[in-house]
Amino acid sequence: MTAPIIVTLTVNGEPVNRAVEPRLTLADFLRDELGLKGTHVGCEHGVCGACTVHLNGATVRGCLTFAVQCEGAEVETVEGGTDSGRLKDLQDEFVARNALQCGYCTPGMLLSAAELLEQNPAPSRDEIREHLSGNYCRCTGYQAIVDAIETTARKRVELER
Ligand code: FES
Ligand code: FES
């Protein structure tokens, strides 16, 4: 067994300092050490996107990132984005459009969508599909998810006029 390593980071705006096994993934760290179960784990090898979180403002796979790699970093999960209100309009539109059923993919979808709308406030449907191509949904189908993101983008642009 390898000796634990101290990692110091910020998670959803709160300072965190823990001794962790070097091979502990960020997804397991968030879920099992911090109780942030909104970060889901599906494939555990970088394919499905269920474990998507923001690391220093960009999406990463929580299952392919070690917790110790996050030394000094800022991590945001779906809980943080919910509490801050940053995801609220996306979440409201997902509900309005029935863009989720079981919800397993939804945290990752929301965080990927949030990243897209920060980079590109008025994406085309193709651009939305491209950006979400690393997030799998096994039950809703993608049409409603793309609808929800497209509508959120349109409403944000209208609000800024
Ligand atoms: S659990 Fe990380 S990509 Fe599937
Ligand atoms: S809502 Fe079930 S996997 Fe997407």
Side-chain angles (χ1 to χ4, degrees), residues 27 40-52 60-64 104 134 136:
H40 292 162
V41 175
C43 67
E44 296 186 79
H45 62 273
V47 175
C48 73
C51 62
T52 301
V60 294
R61 302 291 208 220
C63 71
L64 295 184
Y104 205 83
Y136 290 5

mmCIF file of all heavy atoms in Angstrom, residues 27 40-52 60-64 104 134 136, ligand 1:
data_model
loop_
_atom_site.group_PDB
_atom_site.id
_atom_site.type_symbol
_atom_site.label_atom_id
_atom_site.label_comp_id
_atom_site.label_asym_id
_atom_site.label_seq_id
_atom_site.Cartn_x
_atom_site.Cartn_y
_atom_site.Cartn_z
ATOM 1 N N ALA A 27 -13.166 11.557 -8.985
ATOM 2 C CA ALA A 27 -14.587 11.200 -8.851
ATOM 3 C C ALA A 27 -14.828 10.471 -7.529
ATOM 4 O O ALA A 27 -15.771 10.789 -6.789
ATOM 5 C CB ALA A 27 -15.025 10.331 -10.026
ATOM 6 N N HIS A 40 -21.293 11.418 -10.898
ATOM 7 C CA HIS A 40 -21.615 10.005 -11.094
ATOM 8 C C HIS A 40 -20.452 9.260 -11.741
ATOM 9 O O HIS A 40 -19.603 9.857 -12.406
ATOM 10 C CB HIS A 40 -22.873 9.887 -11.947
ATOM 11 C CG HIS A 40 -24.090 10.380 -11.249
ATOM 12 N ND1 HIS A 40 -25.250 10.720 -11.903
ATOM 13 C CD2 HIS A 40 -24.316 10.612 -9.924
ATOM 14 C CE1 HIS A 40 -26.149 11.128 -11.007
ATOM 15 N NE2 HIS A 40 -25.606 11.078 -9.813
ATOM 16 N N VAL A 41 -20.459 7.976 -11.539
ATOM 17 C CA VAL A 41 -19.424 7.118 -12.123
ATOM 18 C C VAL A 41 -20.120 6.036 -12.940
ATOM 19 O O VAL A 41 -20.957 5.304 -12.413
ATOM 20 C CB VAL A 41 -18.546 6.497 -11.012
ATOM 21 C CG1 VAL A 41 -17.552 5.521 -11.610
ATOM 22 C CG2 VAL A 41 -17.817 7.594 -10.245
ATOM 23 N N GLY A 42 -19.798 6.010 -14.224
ATOM 24 C CA GLY A 42 -20.404 5.017 -15.103
ATOM 25 C C GLY A 42 -19.370 4.031 -15.599
ATOM 26 O O GLY A 42 -19.121 2.991 -14.991
ATOM 27 N N CYS A 43 -18.704 4.407 -16.683
ATOM 28 C CA CYS A 43 -17.763 3.477 -17.336
ATOM 29 C C CYS A 43 -16.438 3.344 -16.583
ATOM 30 O O CYS A 43 -15.757 2.337 -16.695
ATOM 31 C CB CYS A 43 -17.495 3.962 -18.755
ATOM 32 S SG CYS A 43 -16.578 5.523 -18.809
ATOM 33 N N GLU A 44 -16.076 4.385 -15.858
ATOM 34 C CA GLU A 44 -14.783 4.434 -15.132
ATOM 35 C C GLU A 44 -13.562 4.354 -16.030
ATOM 36 O O GLU A 44 -12.470 4.032 -15.557
ATOM 37 C CB GLU A 44 -14.706 3.345 -14.055
ATOM 38 C CG GLU A 44 -15.741 3.519 -12.963
ATOM 39 C CD GLU A 44 -15.562 2.532 -11.838
ATOM 40 O OE1 GLU A 44 -14.678 2.767 -11.008
ATOM 41 O OE2 GLU A 44 -16.300 1.535 -11.791
ATOM 42 N N HIS A 45 -13.728 4.620 -17.315
ATOM 43 C CA HIS A 45 -12.524 4.710 -18.153
ATOM 44 C C HIS A 45 -12.631 5.785 -19.240
ATOM 45 O O HIS A 45 -12.124 5.614 -20.338
ATOM 46 C CB HIS A 45 -12.114 3.350 -18.716
ATOM 47 C CG HIS A 45 -13.123 2.717 -19.624
ATOM 48 N ND1 HIS A 45 -14.147 1.940 -19.157
ATOM 49 C CD2 HIS A 45 -13.241 2.743 -20.962
ATOM 50 C CE1 HIS A 45 -14.854 1.509 -20.180
ATOM 51 N NE2 HIS A 45 -14.338 1.991 -21.284
ATOM 52 N N GLY A 46 -13.296 6.870 -18.898
ATOM 53 C CA GLY A 46 -13.204 8.049 -19.745
ATOM 54 C C GLY A 46 -14.115 8.106 -20.948
ATOM 55 O O GLY A 46 -13.931 8.964 -21.810
ATOM 56 N N VAL A 47 -15.124 7.251 -21.000
ATOM 57 C CA VAL A 47 -15.957 7.201 -22.195
ATOM 58 C C VAL A 47 -17.311 7.907 -22.017
ATOM 59 O O VAL A 47 -17.749 8.644 -22.895
ATOM 60 C CB VAL A 47 -16.198 5.732 -22.629
ATOM 61 C CG1 VAL A 47 -17.160 5.651 -23.805
ATOM 62 C CG2 VAL A 47 -14.879 5.064 -22.987
ATOM 63 N N CYS A 48 -17.960 7.705 -20.867
ATOM 64 C CA CYS A 48 -19.384 8.079 -20.782
ATOM 65 C C CYS A 48 -19.643 9.524 -20.370
ATOM 66 O O CYS A 48 -20.710 10.064 -20.644
ATOM 67 C CB CYS A 48 -20.108 7.142 -19.830
ATOM 68 S SG CYS A 48 -19.735 7.414 -18.072
ATOM 69 N N GLY A 49 -18.728 10.163 -19.662
ATOM 70 C CA GLY A 49 -18.913 11.554 -19.265
ATOM 71 C C GLY A 49 -19.739 11.761 -18.005
ATOM 72 O O GLY A 49 -19.941 12.897 -17.583
ATOM 73 N N ALA A 50 -20.190 10.674 -17.373
ATOM 74 C CA ALA A 50 -21.021 10.826 -16.168
ATOM 75 C C ALA A 50 -20.260 11.495 -15.030
ATOM 76 O O ALA A 50 -20.847 12.124 -14.159
ATOM 77 C CB ALA A 50 -21.525 9.457 -15.703
ATOM 78 N N CYS A 51 -18.942 11.381 -15.039
ATOM 79 C CA CYS A 51 -18.097 11.884 -13.951
ATOM 80 C C CYS A 51 -17.573 13.297 -14.227
ATOM 81 O O CYS A 51 -16.687 13.758 -13.517
ATOM 82 C CB CYS A 51 -16.909 10.946 -13.784
ATOM 83 S SG CYS A 51 -15.894 10.913 -15.290
ATOM 84 N N THR A 52 -18.114 13.970 -15.239
ATOM 85 C CA THR A 52 -17.605 15.291 -15.634
ATOM 86 C C THR A 52 -17.714 16.301 -14.490
ATOM 87 O O THR A 52 -18.782 16.457 -13.884
ATOM 88 C CB THR A 52 -18.408 15.816 -16.851
ATOM 89 O OG1 THR A 52 -18.271 14.877 -17.916
ATOM 90 C CG2 THR A 52 -17.931 17.187 -17.287
ATOM 91 N N VAL A 60 -13.330 18.163 -16.940
ATOM 92 C CA VAL A 60 -12.422 17.011 -16.938
ATOM 93 C C VAL A 60 -13.232 15.780 -16.574
ATOM 94 O O VAL A 60 -14.327 15.874 -16.021
ATOM 95 C CB VAL A 60 -11.257 17.151 -15.924
ATOM 96 C CG1 VAL A 60 -10.325 18.279 -16.297
ATOM 97 C CG2 VAL A 60 -11.764 17.289 -14.493
ATOM 98 N N ARG A 61 -12.661 14.629 -16.902
ATOM 99 C CA ARG A 61 -13.228 13.353 -16.480
ATOM 100 C C ARG A 61 -12.757 13.074 -15.051
ATOM 101 O O ARG A 61 -11.545 12.889 -14.824
ATOM 102 C CB ARG A 61 -12.713 12.226 -17.368
ATOM 103 C CG ARG A 61 -13.001 12.381 -18.841
ATOM 104 C CD ARG A 61 -14.445 12.217 -19.067
ATOM 105 N NE ARG A 61 -14.736 11.717 -20.383
ATOM 106 C CZ ARG A 61 -15.749 12.151 -21.120
ATOM 107 N NH1 ARG A 61 -16.526 13.130 -20.689
ATOM 108 N NH2 ARG A 61 -15.999 11.595 -22.287
ATOM 109 N N GLY A 62 -13.692 13.008 -14.128
ATOM 110 C CA GLY A 62 -13.305 12.723 -12.744
ATOM 111 C C GLY A 62 -12.718 11.338 -12.568
ATOM 112 O O GLY A 62 -11.956 11.094 -11.633
ATOM 113 N N CYS A 63 -13.060 10.425 -13.489
ATOM 114 C CA CYS A 63 -12.546 9.049 -13.370
ATOM 115 C C CYS A 63 -11.148 8.909 -13.953
ATOM 116 O O CYS A 63 -10.501 7.890 -13.733
ATOM 117 C CB CYS A 63 -13.495 8.062 -14.040
ATOM 118 S SG CYS A 63 -13.504 8.147 -15.847
ATOM 119 N N LEU A 64 -10.702 9.913 -14.708
ATOM 120 C CA LEU A 64 -9.363 9.840 -15.305
ATOM 121 C C LEU A 64 -8.402 10.827 -14.658
ATOM 122 O O LEU A 64 -7.283 10.999 -15.121
ATOM 123 C CB LEU A 64 -9.432 10.141 -16.814
ATOM 124 C CG LEU A 64 -10.188 9.158 -17.695
ATOM 125 C CD1 LEU A 64 -10.066 9.559 -19.162
ATOM 126 C CD2 LEU A 64 -9.702 7.738 -17.490
ATOM 127 N N TYR A 104 -28.994 10.010 -14.617
ATOM 128 C CA TYR A 104 -27.620 9.598 -14.333
ATOM 129 C C TYR A 104 -26.593 10.441 -15.089
ATOM 130 O O TYR A 104 -25.548 10.803 -14.559
ATOM 131 C CB TYR A 104 -27.413 8.105 -14.660
ATOM 132 C CG TYR A 104 -26.287 7.527 -13.869
ATOM 133 C CD1 TYR A 104 -26.487 7.089 -12.568
ATOM 134 C CD2 TYR A 104 -25.004 7.462 -14.391
ATOM 135 C CE1 TYR A 104 -25.438 6.595 -11.808
ATOM 136 C CE2 TYR A 104 -23.951 6.971 -13.643
ATOM 137 C CZ TYR A 104 -24.168 6.541 -12.354
ATOM 138 O OH TYR A 104 -23.135 6.063 -11.610
ATOM 139 N N GLY A 134 -18.974 13.740 -25.830
ATOM 140 C CA GLY A 134 -18.331 12.905 -24.817
ATOM 141 C C GLY A 134 -19.218 12.615 -23.627
ATOM 142 O O GLY A 134 -18.741 12.101 -22.619
ATOM 143 N N TYR A 136 -22.596 10.576 -22.630
ATOM 144 C CA TYR A 136 -23.591 9.616 -23.113
ATOM 145 C C TYR A 136 -24.857 9.674 -22.266
ATOM 146 O O TYR A 136 -24.778 9.767 -21.042
ATOM 147 C CB TYR A 136 -23.044 8.188 -23.040
ATOM 148 C CG TYR A 136 -21.947 7.878 -24.028
ATOM 149 C CD1 TYR A 136 -21.415 8.848 -24.858
ATOM 150 C CD2 TYR A 136 -21.446 6.591 -24.121
ATOM 151 C CE1 TYR A 136 -20.404 8.552 -25.755
ATOM 152 C CE2 TYR A 136 -20.431 6.281 -25.014
ATOM 153 C CZ TYR A 136 -19.915 7.262 -25.827
ATOM 154 O OH TYR A 136 -18.911 6.969 -26.701
HETATM 155 S S1 FES B 1 -17.180 7.381 -15.450
HETATM 156 FE FE1 FES B 1 -15.740 8.800 -16.195
HETATM 157 S S2 FES B 1 -16.093 8.908 -18.319
HETATM 158 FE FE2 FES B 1 -17.426 7.314 -17.623
#
